[in-house]
Structures are given as structure tokens and as C-alpha cells.
Amino acid sequence: MPKQFKKYLRFDGGLNTNADPRDIGEHELSDIKNMMVDHVGKIRTIGQLGDPAGSDWDASINAEPGYGLFVFGSDYDLGSPKTVSIVSDQGGNAGYQTSAAHGYSADDLVYHYGFSNSSYNGAKKVHGILSPTVYTADDLSSGDNDSYISNDSGNSLPESSISLYPTQVLVLVDSSTGDVYLKLNDSGSWANEFFNIGSSSGIKAVFYVIDGALRVSDANFGTNNEVKWLGYFIRRHFTSAKGDNFNGWFPFNAELDAPTAGLVALNVASIADADATNVQLKDDGVLQDWSIAGTENYVAVSETDGQARDITAQGAGPDYELTTDALTGTWASDSYSLCPPTGEGFNIAINSSASTGTWAADEIEFASSFVYDGDQESLLFTMMGSFTPTVDKAVNIRILGTKSYSARIKGGRIYYRLKDSTDEWKLLVDIDMAQGVRGSLEDSYLGWEYLGDTAGSGDAPNNAYFDGDFITTYDPPVLSYEALTGVKQDELTIAAKFKAATVLNRRAWIANIAKDDVDGTETYFGDRIMFSPVNQFDVFPASFYLALGLNDGDEFIALEGYADRLFAFKRKRLFVVNVAQGSSQGWFVESQHEHLGVEHPAAVFKTDLGLIWANDAGCFFFNGSQITNLIEKQGQRMISYSDWSGFITKNTVVGFEPLRRQIIVLGDADGATGTVYIFDMATLSWAKGDKFSQAADGEYTNFAIRARDAYDSSYPTELLIGKYTS
Amino acid sequence: MADLVTLKKWDGDSASAAQYFTTRDEDFGDPSRIKRIYAVYFSYKASANINMNALLTYALDGGTSFVNTYIPTTQLGLSTIWAKGIIEFSTILSAQSIRLKFSHPSGTFEVNEDSIEFRGIHRRIA
């Protein structure tokens, strides 16, 4: 016989360890290490973990295997934070000192982060300018001046420094401290902890983002940890020059807090009868029993004297006199307005008009809500006090507010119903924090008015009081809270902690829930998926849920959405729910797959091509129409059972490199071997390597994709992962 | 003390690695006969020189132990373009089947194709 040549011209069949080496195809490989076949016709050395474009990628934080990293796009960057040191005690107040001129003016809003003492962190308002490099500040939420505690240092983010500039925001969460670190492409090192999700350690951070706003939850349900929200505002509260102008990143609890204060009076602003003692305010027949104990911080404001005083007590009927902090000047015969505590709600002043209307002479009560970003509305707070209209007359309503409110609050609403009834709450006043107030959603707003320069004392702040012009409502409105929000008016809570989340079809979906029950005890629902109303991504009413696989010895681990389908992963089972219909009535479980669940949320990865996930049964791909097990080719397994099952662990994480179209499966994010299987979507072949190996206690976070920077080509699309040694 | 988390990217460009790949166990379509195996030809790129007997090992007749017996120690030079690699066995191998293992201990390495020079003989396997 003549000599012959057996030629192997291609290797793109990739690894096949399932069939005997003698039975595999000519273009397949019986073993491979650190080489890959991403080109037809050749085999080459595998890639490696490298440094991302940019610099300063180290962060001294704790992490949990497979958790903690997230990337999202935003139209706003972080601006230029100023480094601040507290080195001086300014008469008990903290003196914030900058290395160069801070350029601040009194009442500028700034955001502080990175201070060791948490009281120095958060949204602040510049109080006093002590020098070009030293200022004092009030805490925006409490209104209190930041007192000096100790020397410290951190960052001050001025509102004016933030510019419109689309970018990618990288997020790392410290699993021990709950500190959340941010980094942008061009922001240098990781910003000091920008905000905190709570102090209970062992945090397994899970995220979802929509419309540029991030939510972070602890999948470990740490006792002291909360679901947090981070977003960017350009928002004005009260159009007067004395209002607040928010322009920057602000973190908040994701929960939409309802007002916690608010009372109803007759037209308190017309009261003109103060006691000669100057500390007793009254107006016969106008003041009601609001049960003010003195700790609520309601404020009496005299526009005539330009004074504001905290109400410290309320007397008994029939006069229900109000006691205030010591007054300056004489308020006798002055008008005063009753304003709510700083940022906690709204007061209303109401009386019957001389104009004809259709109101009945039935005593009515009132409730208020806050309206947040995305027109999400809080639950209702029942206000103190009531009112009985004059029959067949219109009513006049005036809204009073005390700044500063949370930057996240966009507005509010006032509802009414028959007193002590279970009737539906119906909309009476719609409040916009910038534009003013209106009697219905169709009316034009009547603007805010500044109650004038007022000198406060104690808990009554200076220059903080606003009211809306009178609204006259001729007929009792009929639009209910439930019709407006889709939320029942007697919901206990619309907030929930979660272990898995995604956004699909303009709804937020969360699974494996912790939610307060009727007595405030946190109750767990491992088999429950909750969904938000459309466009209300922080609202999870109790009745908005799917229960799949109840009491089946399993729990939800991950959620992802693709092509109108919700993929709900338990540890062992996968539910595919078709949610294409706008109403939940049209949703249905399209399929249920045993043994297609995942052990770790990071074992699921969403790509532009579809969903990818890995477990001990394989590596699966949903392309929008069908699920394929990628370790099988034409019905034949490519990776042997023993190889694959020995590779997959409870900490398996999956990523996708979108430019090369490669799936990376890291077998153990909590192991030293660093074995990865790589699937090339072009050649449909597997390769294997150990390029993630590190020291014996080496660990990894989850994968995340940083998309190409739209404005700076030096930051290309990259698949990122955090590497650390514990 | 906190961990030091360092962000990394997956870089798909070839990087230095200890690497190998193993072909199928080739019986040349005739499992019942013995074959004489003379040489292995291949095209390669490599970032470092390597001896032939380090680059190529083989296992015969379905074995799992790869050896470099009869492979010269001659050095194959590094190359950034496709270079010809020719490895002739110093003693002709006789086997029913052969499995090749290409290895490179470090640097980058590519193989475009390979072929085995053989002759079937009229001797059945025993």
C-alpha cells in the first residue's frame, strides 16, 4: 500500500469528552486545556483575565462569591467630588474644610459620602460659609445642623458639578459593611462608599435597574439591611427662589414612604387671635383636637412677625390651644399659619366657599400621599382633623408645606371620604412640588407662594414655609386612590425585600420575598414572585403575585426576562411564564422544566442573543423561541457527565463576552482551580482552561458587561468580574 | 480586614499559558489492520522556541499515556506567521491507532492544520 496522509484541516468541533476518543469527529478534540477554537480552521491559545480599560480597579471591600458587581447605563456622570476634611469644631458644628476654594453658597445642596461617621454622610444643605475653604451644613432630612463629633474625611459632591454625559456606572457592594461603591469610566478610583444598604454582614447583593435608577437588595435578608434606590434628579421643590433645587445622585430606601404628618384645619391662616401670654395660640372654633403631643414638630408661622415656632403642646377642648416655643415679638392679633413638620407631609386649610356647590353637610376626613419618581404613589396617611362642608356650597382648600422634602418626592395628593367610614378615598388635591396645586388631574396648577422670610427656633427651621393658592372645588370629586394607583387603599405595605429581580415589559419582578405581615413581622415567601404595576418599579401590592411550585421543597433563585417571557429559576426547576399580555389575566405558564434550575443567581446571564444559564445538567441557551442544551450537539452530548457534573458547583457563575460571542462558565467562584469552560457561539464548540485559577482562597464576584462608552472610544465593551482573595 | 477586590475583564486575545490539545484516536478508517506511521506535518505559530519532543507526544492503540519516544529533540523556532512543522519519527511507529497531543508550556501557540503520514500494511491486529 502506498503512503497516505490523514489530514486534519479544522478543529472547530471543539471539545468532545463524552464519546470515546476513537469515535469523535475529525474536527473534534478529545482533550484541551487553555486553547480555544473560535475560528474555523485553527486552534489557538486561550485568552486571560486582564485589566479593564481605565485604571484604579482595586477596591478594599469584602465580597461574597458570585455576588456584588453590577453595571448600568446612565445619562449622568458623578461630576467632580471635592475631598473634605472635618478638622474644626465651629461652636459645636462640624466645619467642612476643602483643600481648594469650595465655591459654595448658603443653601446649596450637596451630597456627602465616604465619611467614617455616618452622620456626616447623606444629602446636606450648606448652612454657613466660614471661609472660602470651610463651610457648615445642615442635614437635609432632619434639618439639623451637623454637629462636630470628631475629625473625619470624605467627599462632597456639589450639585453644580454634574453634567449631562451618558456613561456606564459600575457598582460594587461590600458584603460586610453594606457600603456601596461607584465608579465611572473617567472617575478615577472607586468612589468612597456612596451609600449604605445596612449593617448586617454576609450581604449577597442583587440588583435591578430601570430608567437609570438602581435598586439593591440583600438576598441574605440581613436584619438591618434595606432595599435601596439610587437615582439622579434634576428636580425643583417650590418655584420660589427659596425652594430647593436638586441636581445630582441621591440614594434612598426603595420603599415609598407615606407622609407621617399632616393635619386639617379650617382656614388656619385667617386666625388672628393669640393669647396675651404670647405662647398660647388659639382661635375659637377653628382649632381642632389634633392630639399634638409636642414631639411632632408642627410649626406655627407668623408672616406678620416673620417668625416660626415649634408647637410643643395642645390644650384640651373646646379651644384646643396651641403652645409654642417662646415667641419673639407679639403675635396677638396676628395671622399665623400651621405648617407641617419638615418634609413629613402636608397640612390643609379648608373652609366652605360662598359659591354654590354640591357638597353635602357630612363630616369628612382626609388622607395624604407622596408621589415619587415615575409617578409612583405611596400608601395613604390619614390626617388629623376633619371638616364639615356647608351644604350646597363649594369648598376652598389651601395646602401648606415645610421644606426640605426628600429629593425623591415629586408631589403629593390629598384624598377625602366620609369620616370614620370605609369608603374609598377620593382625590381632592393633586400636588406638584414644583408647579403647585390643583383640584383635579385635568386642571392647571396654581403656584406655590413663599410665606416670607421667617426666623425659626429649635425644631422650626428658617425660611422653609410655603402654601399653595386657594383651590375652589364645587363638586365632590369621584376619582379614587385605587383607580389612580391600582393599589388597594388598605394595603399594609407595598415594599418587599427580594432574592431575585428583573425588569420585563415595564414591570419590576421580584422573587423569594420577605414582606411585612399584618403585625409588622417579616414573613418569607420563597415560592412567590411579585410584580409591580406598569411603570411603578418600587410598588409591590400584596395581591400582585404569582405562586409557582408551592411547598415543593425549593425556592426561587433567579429571575430573567426575554422575549415576553419571564424565566423563573428555582434550584431544580424552571418556570417559563408568558407575560406578553398587558394584564395578568392573560399570563400563563408556558412551560415547566425539571432539572433546569440554578443554584446561584449568577449562574444566569442575559445577553443580546438570549438567556444563558448553567447547572449540573448542562449549559442552556434560550434564543427567544427554544431552549437548547449547549453541551449537546445534534442530540449528542459533547462534555461527559462526569466532567460536567464535577465541574459545576453551587457557586458556578456564567458570563458572556459580547464582542467575541463567547460564553464563559466559571465552575466555582469560591475555589482555587479556576476552571472555565468556554463556548464559542460562532463555531458552536467548547474549550476549557484554567485562567481563573488563583490562590487557594481565591474567589470571584459575578460577571457583568460594561458597554462601550458612547463618547470615549478608549472604553470598549468588556465582560467584567471582580477577583479577590479573602 | 477587607478583601481586595480587583476588577478584571475577560480578554479573548491569546495570552501566555501552559496549553495543549489532543486529537481523536485515529485508526485511519481501518481498525482491523496495523499501520506504519512515519511523520506528522503541521502549520503553526508560536511565541517561543520549543523542542519537537516537547511539542508533540502520542498515545498508541487507544492508550491514555502520551509519550515522546522516537520524536527528535530538534528545536522548532518561534514564528509569527504560519511555519511548517515536520516531525519524523526516528523509528517508524506500528499501531492500530494513534492519538496526538500538541503541547506548549508557555507563550502563545496556534495550529492551522496537521496531517499524519502513514501506510496501511496487510497485517491484521492481533
Side-chain angles (χ1 to χ4, degrees):
Chain A
M1 290 186 182
K3 284 185 178 177
Q4 301 176 64
F5 289 87
K6 181 63 186 179
K7 300 171 186 173
Y8 303 92
L9 302 179
R10 300 171 57 173
F11 305 96
D12 53 281
L15 187 61
N16 185 342
T17 63
N18 190 58
D20 188 274
R22 188 169 296 179
D23 299 323
I24 67 176
E26 291 184 356
H27 59 295
E28 294 175 348
L29 303 165
S30 59
D31 198 4
I32 192 169
K33 180 182 177 183
N34 289 337
M35 302 191 79
M36 59 186 184
V37 281
D38 57 337
H39 297 82
V40 172
K42 74 173 184 180
I43 182 169
R44 69 179 180 97
T45 309
I46 203 171
Q48 65 175 345
L49 286 176
D51 294 329
S55 59
D56 298 314
W57 294 106
D58 293 346
S60 292
I61 65 169
N62 294 287
E64 289 285 327
Y67 290 94
L69 176 64
F70 193 73
V71 181
F72 68 100
S74 173
D75 289 348
Y76 306 96
D77 67 17
L78 270 180
S80 301
K82 303 175 190 296
T83 301
V84 176
S85 298
I86 298 173
V87 294
S88 57
D89 181 353
Q90 301 296 329
N93 297 324
Y96 292 101
Q97 184 170 54
T98 54
S99 55
H102 50 64
Y104 292 159
S105 301
D107 288 342
D108 280 358
L109 296 178
V110 298
Y111 183 74
H112 282 184
Y113 62 95
F115 290 91
S116 297
N117 191 303
S118 60
S119 67
Y120 294 143
N121 293 324
K124 306 287 182 182
K125 178 178 289 186
V126 174
H127 182 98
I129 305 299
L130 305 184
S131 78
T133 57
V134 180
Y135 63 96
T136 58
D138 298 334
D139 188 86
L140 197 64
S141 57
S142 69
D144 295 337
N145 207 326
D146 285 351
S147 58
Y148 176 80
I149 300 169
S150 61
N151 288 356
D152 203 343
S153 63
N155 300 276
S156 176
L157 186 62
E159 59 179 277
S160 58
S161 71
I162 297 171
S163 60
L164 189 67
Y165 186 74
T167 190
Q168 295 278 293
V169 182
L170 285 73
V171 184
L172 272 176
V173 179
D174 190 316
S175 63
S176 290
T177 65
D179 290 333
V180 180
Y181 292 74
L182 305 181
K183 178 172 167 59
L184 277 69
N185 288 340
D186 58 353
S187 69
S189 62
W190 289 95
N192 287 340
E193 59 274 19
F194 201 77
F195 62 100
N196 183 277
I197 69 169
S199 59
S200 297
S201 63
I203 292 168
K204 296 178 175 177
V206 291
F207 310 84
Y208 67 92
V209 67
I210 180 72
D211 296 343
L214 174 73
R215 283 81 173 175
V216 188
S217 178
D218 173 18
N220 205 29
F221 290 160
T223 305
N224 299 322
N225 300 336
E226 301 288 343
V227 181
K228 290 288 184 176
W229 182 102
L230 173 69
Y232 187 95
F233 297 113
I234 300 176
R235 176 168 295 150
R236 185 153 192 86
H237 283 179
F238 308 113
T239 46
S240 161
K242 296 294 185 180
D244 288 331
N245 186 16
F246 300 99
N247 183 356
W249 290 92
F250 293 95
F252 295 98
N253 285 342
E255 183 172 359
L256 305 173
D257 291 330
T260 54
L263 56 79
V264 180
L266 302 182
N267 189 10
V268 184
S270 69
I271 298 171
D273 182 16
D275 193 283
T277 63
N278 292 333
V279 293
Q280 300 292 324
L281 302 177
K282 64 180 183 181
D283 189 350
D284 294 344
V286 173
L287 306 184
Q288 300 182 35
D289 182 7
W290 297 309
S291 302
I292 294 175
T295 57
E296 299 89 348
N297 295 332
Y298 286 101
V299 180
V301 177
S302 167
E303 293 183 62
T304 307
D305 281 355
Q307 301 288 321
R309 291 295 181 272
D310 191 44
I311 297 173
T312 56
Q314 183 171 31
D319 292 337
Y320 301 110
E321 288 182 344
L322 301 174
T323 302
T324 70
D325 281 340
L327 294 171
T328 301
T330 302
W331 284 24
S333 301
D334 284 356
S335 292
Y336 64 92
S337 298
L338 284 175
C339 290
T342 298
E344 292 187 26
F346 305 100
N347 285 358
I348 66 173
I350 185 167
N351 60 20
S352 285
S353 164
S355 301
T356 300
T358 61
W359 287 85
D362 297 321
E363 187 177 9
I364 55 178
E365 60 183 353
F366 301 86
S368 61
S369 67
F370 284 137
V371 176
Y372 291 84
D373 50 282
D375 291 332
Q376 301 182 94
E377 189 166 349
S378 73
L379 294 177
L380 295 171
F381 168 78
T382 302
M383 303 168 72
M384 302 298 295
S386 63
F387 172 67
T388 303
T390 301
V391 64
D392 292 334
K393 296 293 183 184
V395 296
N396 298 319
I397 307 147
R398 173 176 172 244
I399 304 296
L400 296 110
T402 305
K403 74 169 189 179
S404 291
Y405 290 82
S406 161
R408 200 180 170 196
I409 292 173
K410 180 183 175 185
R413 288 181 180 138
I414 307 294
Y415 295 85
Y416 79 98
R417 69 178 180 187
L418 281 180
K419 183 170 173 56
D420 298 328
S421 74
T422 57
D423 291 355
E424 287 188 310
W425 289 104
K426 293 175 180 170
L427 181 67
L428 185 61
V429 182
D430 182 50
I431 302 167
D432 184 280
M433 295 302 290
Q435 300 184 74
V437 296
R438 58 183 179 178
S440 78
L441 300 181
E442 291 77 32
D443 292 349
S444 298
Y445 288 104
L446 300 175
W448 292 106
E449 294 176 357
Y450 181 49
L451 293 187
D453 293 335
T454 46
S457 69
D459 291 315
N462 300 329
N463 308 322
Y465 310 99
F466 295 83
D467 71 338
D469 206 351
F470 273 104
I471 300 167
T472 300
T473 299
Y474 297 92
D475 309 305
V478 295
L479 185 58
S480 71
Y481 173 83
E482 190 165 336
L484 261 174
T485 63
V487 177
K488 292 180 180 176
Q489 65 184 28
D490 55 357
E491 287 277 352
L492 292 173
T493 175
I494 51 176
K497 296 179 179 177
F498 52 87
K499 294 192 176 188
T502 192
V503 175
L504 176 63
N505 292 356
R506 299 296 297 176
R507 296 179 191 266
W509 303 78
I510 58 175
N512 207 336
I513 306 295
K515 196 173 176 65
D516 288 347
D517 65 13
V518 67
D519 63 0
T521 305
E522 201 167 73
T523 306
Y524 302 98
F525 303 94
D527 295 324
R528 182 167 293 190
I529 299 171
M530 301 194 74
F531 53 93
S532 71
V534 172
N535 290 331
Q536 299 187 53
F537 305 107
D538 300 292
V539 176
F540 299 100
S543 60
F544 283 45
Y545 76 92
L546 309 173
L548 301 173
L550 287 175
N551 196 16
D552 60 353
D554 206 343
E555 62 178 340
F556 283 109
I557 300 298
L559 291 177
E560 269 299 355
Y562 195 81
D564 288 333
R565 293 170 180 87
L566 179 73
F567 281 65
F569 296 88
K570 290 190 167 185
R571 292 186 188 278
K572 300 302 177 191
R573 188 183 295 178
L574 165 65
F575 296 91
V576 181
V577 186
N578 189 309
V579 295
Q581 296 294 318
S583 164
S584 60
Q585 303 300 317
W587 301 344
F588 59 94
V589 177
E590 192 170 273
S591 58
Q592 177 177 325
H593 306 269
E594 302 298 328
H595 316 298
L596 260 62
V598 294
E599 290 283 351
H600 196 296
V604 183
F605 201 86
K606 186 174 182 176
T607 79
D608 52 323
L609 301 177
L611 298 183
I612 300 162
W613 65 100
N615 65 13
D616 55 1
C619 180
F620 300 92
F621 175 57
F622 175 72
N623 64 0
S625 60
Q626 65 177 4
I627 297 171
T628 306
N629 190 346
L630 298 177
I631 70 167
E632 295 176 356
K633 188 181 291 183
Q634 296 174 338
Q636 298 297 314
R637 191 175 182 121
M638 301 301 289
I639 311 296
S640 72
Y641 166 76
S642 60
D643 282 356
W644 190 258
S645 61
F647 163 71
I648 295 293
T649 69
K650 66 179 181 181
N651 289 314
T652 292
V653 300
V654 174
F656 179 71
E657 208 290 315
L659 302 185
R660 295 180 186 275
R661 299 291 198 225
Q662 289 178 330
I663 298 168
I664 315 288
V665 183
L666 172 59
D668 188 359
D670 190 19
T673 61
T675 303
V676 289
Y677 276 83
I678 297 177
F679 184 79
D680 191 275
M681 298 290 277
T683 62
L684 303 178
S685 61
W686 286 98
K688 190 174 70 171
D690 63 359
K691 282 294 194 168
F692 285 65
S693 64
Q694 52 175 329
D697 52 358
E699 294 161 327
Y700 288 92
T701 67
N702 54 307
F703 284 104
I705 292 175
R706 177 176 68 166
R708 177 175 58 87
D709 190 296
Y711 285 80
D712 189 343
S713 60
S714 60
Y715 299 101
T717 299
E718 294 174 331
L719 176 66
L720 304 177
I721 191 169
K723 174 183 178 182
Y724 63 99
T725 302
S726 60
Chain B
M1 193 176 92
D3 308 333
L4 181 65
V5 176
T6 301
L7 223 57
K8 293 290 185 181
K9 70 169 180 179
W10 174 249
D11 182 352
D13 290 340
S14 294
S16 180
Q19 59 206 292
Y20 65 79
F21 71 92
T22 308
T23 67
R24 73 171 188 161
D25 188 23
E26 182 60 62
D27 62 10
F28 305 98
D30 190 355
S32 63
R33 295 186 184 279
I34 298 295
K35 274 74 65 175
R36 295 271 170 87
I37 301 167
Y38 301 93
V40 175
Y41 302 80
F42 55 97
S43 299
Y44 74 97
K45 295 178 185 176
S47 63
N49 300 332
I50 186 170
N51 291 345
M52 288 181 178
N53 65 345
L55 184 137
L56 183 68
T57 55
Y58 60 88
L60 301 178
D61 299 333
T64 56
S65 296
F66 289 86
V67 299
N68 59 5
T69 311
Y70 309 127
I71 297 179
T73 58
T74 310
Q75 191 175 72
L76 288 168
L78 61 86
S79 179
T80 57
I81 60 172
W82 293 117
K84 293 188 287 286
I86 303 171
I87 298 176
E88 295 179 330
F89 296 104
S90 57
T91 296
I92 298 169
L93 305 179
S94 287
Q96 176 209 26
S97 67
I98 186 170
R99 186 151 59 126
L100 303 179
K101 182 176 184 179
F102 290 85
S103 305
H104 208 293
S106 63
T108 60
F109 178 54
E110 295 182 35
V111 173
N112 197 305
E113 73 279 322
D114 70 276
S115 57
I116 304 171
E117 184 180 11
F118 74 100
R119 184 202 305 272
I121 61 174
H122 296 288
R123 197 176 101 199
R124 292 177 295 174
I125 58 172

